[in-house]
Amino acid sequence: MANMAQAIRLALHYGEKHLGVTDIFGEDVGAPLGGVFTCTQGLATAWNTPLDERGIIGTAIGLALAGQKPVAEIQFCDYIFNTIDLLKLAGNSCWTSNGEFPLSMVVMTPSGAGIHGAPYHSHSFDAIASHLPGWKIVLPSTPVDAYGLMLAAIEDPNPVLFMAPKALLRIKGEELLPGEPADEKELKEMIDAPIGDRGQWKARWPEMGHAPIRIGEARTVREGGRATIVTYGRYVKLARNVADRLAAEGLGETEVIDLRTIYPYDWRAISASIAKTGRVLFLNEDTEITNFGEHLLRRTIEEHYYTLRARPRLLAGLHVPVIGLAPPLEEASIPQETDIERELRALLTEKT
Amino acid sequence: MTAVRPPPFRPALARGSARSAQPFKDREFARAFLREMVRARVLEERLIRMVRTGDGFFWIGGPGEEAFATSLGLLVDKGAGLAHDYLHLHYRSNGILLSMGEPMLPFVRQMKNVSTDPYSGGRNFVAHAAKKEWNLMPITSTIETQFLVALGTARAQWRARKRGEKSGVTVVVGGDAGTAEGDFASALVWSSRPGEELPMLMIVTNNGYGITTPAGQQHGERNIADRAKAFQIEASVCDGNQPDKVWAALSDALDYVRERGRPYLLEIAVSRLHGHSSSTGGHRVPDEVCCIDTFEKKLLKSGWIEEGDLKRFYEEANQEATEAIETVRTEKWPDGSTVLDHSFSAGDIRGGLPGRDF
Ligand SMILES: Cc1ncc(C[n+]2csc(CCOP(=O)(O)OP(=O)(O)O)c2C)c(N)n1
């Protein structure tokens, strides 16, 4: 099965070939590297930019204004912070011009911790991204979702921020992408650049299918009636593991919702699940103060207060300046499976 | 406050070819040019008055830059799409639009933030225009970001040229103080990448100040245009108070970018006749050179205009402004219920704002 980096690459190839993508660009995005996570290897419209994140976002805006279809990469979301005013400009172009200048553009960036990334390869950006009105924001948890959400992002007439969990980029999926060769080795030979001299190398692309995933639609990855976990990205798998374990202990079935889109988030799916279970845990790794999960908590309290069966909870990253390299520091900074288990156990067993 | 003038020019650079200075040898052209400058000035004066009478919250604009503004407006290849010039301007550009053929009415509408404002529907300050049909990209308040956005339209035009298609050029304009932002350096780097040089004219209108801070206190470079040298970008400096000079410099620079498909940096010394904006009072500054005064005197002396013509130019311009202000008098602010309109370009949003079901 394709890993998430390959899935993104295949989606971008589909975008170039069928959806009018004109430019895929960023630092080391073009040949020879094809992106630090290999997401852009072998792509026809990929090009290398100067090492200048503001230049990258500004160029994306200008290309979109000129009717092109740009996909810009910020190498790590840790380095997106100096572009926030440009992201704001992109997000308000349509509004400020009273609808005359919408921007159809994609910015993709790897986010989150879990790769022993030390202070500057461990940042999350979902909380701050949720403060950028005018953007759609997606964060897939599987290669299939990464493929589908990238196609949807490219097709969207608005700016879309596509974040890929750093820790999942090299993880293989459990399902084939539409059009993906069943033999993993074959896929690798077709689309992965060889190590060493890549001067002559060209990708051989499989004929991929058109399978966009609607932005704004969550996916219930585990059904349950006793409690709800709402999460995304890297934490989907961890939440599922913990839910399986506690169900096996006889504590009840937990529904796990993979949000997939941070904005516009699928409140209907969240709300329906909370109405069913009355117990909810919001889970993500960004810092906890004005965390996106806090917003969902607020809505939960305002709209479900009288039918909740237990205190709703948020488990998120510590409000620590950055994430330290030594594993015990990282583990103490962002939710671990043991933390999720503790919170879910308390949620499942709280007496009403 | 003592005015600190921009650093001295290098006259060797402030030239214009004989061909490019030609139009000013024509009496009708010179008269028409003056009439456009007057129109731009009168619009600004009337907008300032609107703030004073409570018909707007804030004024910013370009009185003092009319020689430059009128020249650029007349020289630009106006139209939509890659085949025409893209304009990335800042908030002193009303005169550029007027000489491109825009009436005064939309500016007056934006000043009063009424819903009929075609640039922003009453959502933005005056002098923040945007017009698709002319490739006028939205003017934003954020200093210098237009130098980054311009790289994108220039890149698209660079590619069109490579494909052998007819392509315009990208023109970006900003002030002197703003060049301290990294975005200006980004524009120099990105526009001069070897083998991928962009068809982009960068213009710095140097009025010697950033709001109240004199350039001389913050900038050690002799001319801002000197910064182009390190990137092998052609550059020149010119006096923006002399219409024929600024026309020639602009026209040469535009020709260069069009013909060579390469970047060019043009620094133009301009006056700032009403201070920074209404936030600093918006009053007429006594000790700055006025490009209209100078040009009027010159044309009077040569007999190409008479006092009566001048009077008529001002009357006509004021008449246009008066009619625009009269039209807008009864127009309304946008309704509060429209506040979320155009947050996104397509109405397909689900989830989202509390209390709203998309
Ligand atoms: C990024 C940014 N910083 C600060 C401001 C506030 N501001 C508005 S105009 C201005 C001065 C700009 O001076 P200059 O670039 O010389 O242009 P001028 O107004 O003189 O034409 C400042 C600091 C802003 N609009 N944007």
Side-chain angles (χ1 to χ4, degrees):
Chain A
M1 307 285 167
N3 64 31
M4 193 181 280
Q6 289 172 319
I8 291 169
R9 201 188 309 156
L10 288 163
L12 293 173
H13 166 70
Y14 189 93
E16 289 180 337
K17 198 163 168 210
H18 301 290
L19 306 176
V21 168
T22 54
D23 293 83
I24 297 166
F25 58 105
E27 295 155 12
D28 308 292
V29 157
L33 188 60
V36 289
F37 288 97
T38 73
C39 294
T40 53
Q41 276 184 352
L43 294 165
T45 64
W47 54 281
N48 289 325
T49 66
L51 203 169
D52 176 12
E53 291 77 19
R54 294 181 60 78
I56 292 168
I57 302 296
T59 297
I61 296 173
L63 284 165
L65 286 170
Q68 313 296 296
K69 182 85 231 193
V71 179
E73 181 180 83
I74 299 298
Q75 200 163 60
F76 296 90
C77 82
D78 308 64
Y79 308 116
I80 201 171
F81 292 82
N82 69 341
T83 72
I84 286 178
D85 66 320
L86 294 163
L87 298 177
K88 280 200 71 75
L89 280 177
N92 72 39
S93 177
C94 185
W95 191 93
T96 310
S97 63
N98 214 18
E100 285 295 304
F101 289 86
L103 296 178
S104 184
M105 58 186 265
V106 180
V107 172
M108 63 177 195
T109 190
S111 79
I115 58 165
H116 303 295
Y120 272 88
H121 297 78
S122 303
H123 273 93
S124 289
F125 193 62
D126 38 296
I128 291 179
S130 73
H131 285 258
L132 296 171
W135 281 82
K136 296 187 181 181
I137 303 148
V138 299
L139 211 169
S141 68
T142 67
V144 167
D145 282 359
Y147 183 80
L149 287 169
M150 181 56 88
L151 294 193
I154 291 168
E155 287 176 331
D156 204 281
N158 298 291
V160 180
L161 180 64
F162 180 101
M163 289 188 279
K166 290 166 203 154
L168 297 188
L169 277 161
R170 298 185 201 280
I171 305 291
K172 287 176 199 162
E174 295 167 4
E175 282 171 84
L176 281 177
L177 309 175
E180 177 187 346
D183 179 3
E184 205 171 285
K185 274 235 250 3
E186 188 189 346
L187 177 69
K188 192 173 166 46
E189 275 162 22
M190 290 173 82
I191 70 164
D192 282 0
I195 309 287
D197 182 16
R198 296 167 174 185
Q200 300 305 313
W201 177 76
K202 273 202 165 54
R204 284 183 296 120
W205 298 102
E207 201 51 57
M208 298 298 291
H210 182 243
I213 289 171
R214 216 182 125 98
I215 293 177
E217 231 165 62
R219 185 168 62 107
T220 302
V221 297
R222 189 183 192 286
E223 306 252 350
R226 174 77 182 172
T228 304
I229 297 181
V230 179
T231 188
Y232 42 84
R234 188 158 73 92
Y235 281 86
V236 172
K237 184 88 189 305
L238 303 185
R240 234 164 66 179
N241 294 347
V242 173
D244 286 348
R245 263 206 309 277
L246 296 194
E249 277 185 32
L251 293 182
E253 297 296 339
T254 298
E255 190 141 284
V256 178
I257 295 178
D258 177 358
L259 213 45
R260 304 198 289 193
T261 297
I262 287 166
Y263 196 90
Y265 57 88
D266 192 346
W267 180 248
R268 279 177 221 196
I270 300 170
S271 181
S273 185
I274 297 173
K276 180 169 69 174
T277 64
R279 296 168 195 266
V280 62
L281 168 66
F282 297 102
L283 170 65
N284 68 65
E285 63 180 302
D286 208 341
T287 47
E288 65 187 335
I289 295 180
T290 57
N291 180 284
F292 177 58
E294 288 189 343
H295 166 67
L296 299 178
L297 257 185
R298 185 202 106 203
R299 260 192 105 169
T300 301
I301 291 162
E302 287 186 356
E303 298 180 32
H304 291 276
Y305 186 76
Y306 295 108
T307 55
L308 289 174
R309 298 199 180 90
R311 173 175 65 81
R313 291 156 162 86
L314 168 70
L315 180 58
L318 279 188
H319 193 64
V320 64
V322 280
I323 290 174
L325 178 58
L329 296 178
E330 174 164 332
E331 285 157 22
S333 302
I334 54 170
Q336 304 297 306
E337 253 189 68
T338 48
D339 303 314
I340 302 168
E341 187 171 320
R342 187 188 64 240
E343 289 299 318
L344 183 60
R345 185 183 297 279
L347 181 69
L348 286 164
T349 56
E350 187 172 310
K351 295 275 183 301
T352 32
Chain B
M1 189 168 48
T2 41
V4 174
R5 305 300 310 165
F9 305 132
R10 287 180 305 174
L13 287 174
R15 62 186 185 271
S17 64
R19 174 169 64 112
S20 56
Q22 198 64 30
F24 284 87
K25 305 219 158 67
D26 178 66
R27 175 176 180 270
E28 286 315 306
F29 178 87
R31 285 169 60 92
F33 195 95
L34 176 62
R35 203 169 54 227
E36 269 320 312
M37 289 168 78
V38 168
R39 221 175 130 234
R41 176 68 55 83
V42 166
L43 172 63
E44 298 292 12
E45 288 171 351
R46 297 297 294 268
L47 292 173
I48 293 170
R49 215 187 301 164
M50 283 180 76
V51 177
R52 302 228 167 99
T53 55
D55 286 320
F57 294 110
F58 177 74
W59 167 82
I60 194 158
E65 297 191 7
E66 291 85 356
F68 154 66
T70 304
S71 297
L72 183 57
L74 294 174
L75 283 165
V76 83
D77 174 2
K78 179 174 97 178
L82 299 179
H84 301 279
D85 295 345
Y86 278 95
L87 292 171
H88 302 264
L89 307 178
H90 84 329
Y91 45 70
R92 303 205 190 276
S93 304
N94 295 346
I96 301 172
L97 272 99
L98 286 184
S99 62
M100 287 174 79
E102 194 76 330
M104 291 186 186
L105 182 58
F107 300 94
V108 172
R109 286 184 158 143
Q110 194 171 40
M111 169 53 90
K112 229 183 147 186
N113 39 95
V114 288
S115 63
T116 49
D117 151 27
Y119 307 139
S120 69
R123 293 174 168 204
N124 210 342
F125 280 151
V126 72
H128 288 63
K131 194 177 171 96
K132 247 195 208 141
E133 307 93 280
W134 293 354
N135 279 350
L136 171 64
M137 301 294 102
I139 296 175
T140 54
S141 301
T142 48
I143 298 292
E144 225 64 3
T145 54
Q146 70 272 30
F147 279 80
L148 301 176
V149 176
L151 295 167
T153 58
R155 170 103 190 162
Q157 289 176 317
W158 165 80
R159 192 158 45 216
R161 277 164 184 264
K162 266 207 335 188
R163 288 193 300 253
E165 291 166 17
K166 175 181 183 297
S167 161
V169 302
T170 286
V171 179
V172 55
V173 181
D176 52 290
T179 62
E181 298 275 7
D183 299 352
F184 182 72
S186 291
L188 296 175
V189 172
W190 285 63
S191 66
S192 62
R193 296 166 62 226
E196 300 190 14
E197 291 86 354
L198 300 178
M200 179 157 136
L201 173 58
M202 295 169 269
I203 297 171
V204 176
T205 47
N206 186 345
N207 61 24
Y209 293 97
I211 308 187
T212 62
T213 306
Q217 287 178 4
Q218 310 298 334
H219 288 252
E221 71 269 37
R222 199 154 79 103
N223 292 125
I224 291 165
D226 291 344
R227 294 179 63 185
K229 211 186 303 171
F231 300 89
Q232 297 168 65
I233 293 175
E234 284 289 315
S236 59
V237 196
C238 81
D239 179 355
N241 276 322
Q242 300 190 55
D244 54 341
K245 289 273 174 7
V246 69
W247 172 280
L250 254 177
S251 133
D252 282 354
L254 271 167
D255 284 352
Y256 172 89
V257 178
R258 277 189 215 297
E259 284 158 24
R260 304 280 295 275
R262 292 179 58 94
Y264 192 101
L265 173 61
L266 177 60
E267 179 181 354
I268 305 175
V270 293
S271 294
R272 194 181 69 169
L273 292 183
H274 284 261
H276 176 71
S277 69
S278 56
S279 67
T280 49
H283 302 289
R284 176 72 185 244
V285 181
D287 55 357
E288 297 248 344
V289 178
C290 167
C291 57
I292 297 184
D293 266 3
T294 320
F295 196 44
E296 276 173 7
K297 286 202 184 94
K298 195 168 155 186
L299 296 192
L300 280 169
K301 200 167 149 214
S302 64
W304 281 9
I305 55 163
E306 294 169 7
E307 291 288 353
D309 296 323
L310 253 185
K311 198 160 160 265
R312 193 161 45 77
F313 292 166
Y314 280 95
E315 276 169 6
E316 282 167 3
N318 268 300
Q319 179 66 21
E320 184 185 355
T322 302
E323 281 168 16
I325 292 166
E326 203 45 51
T327 302
V328 177
R329 195 169 301 284
T330 53
E331 293 184 346
K332 299 272 186 293
W333 285 334
D335 197 89
S337 66
T338 63
V339 70
L340 282 175
D341 292 358
H342 310 298
S343 298
F344 289 92
S345 75
D348 63 347
I349 312 300
R350 290 188 52 203
L353 297 173
R356 281 170 204 280
D357 201 3
F358 284 93

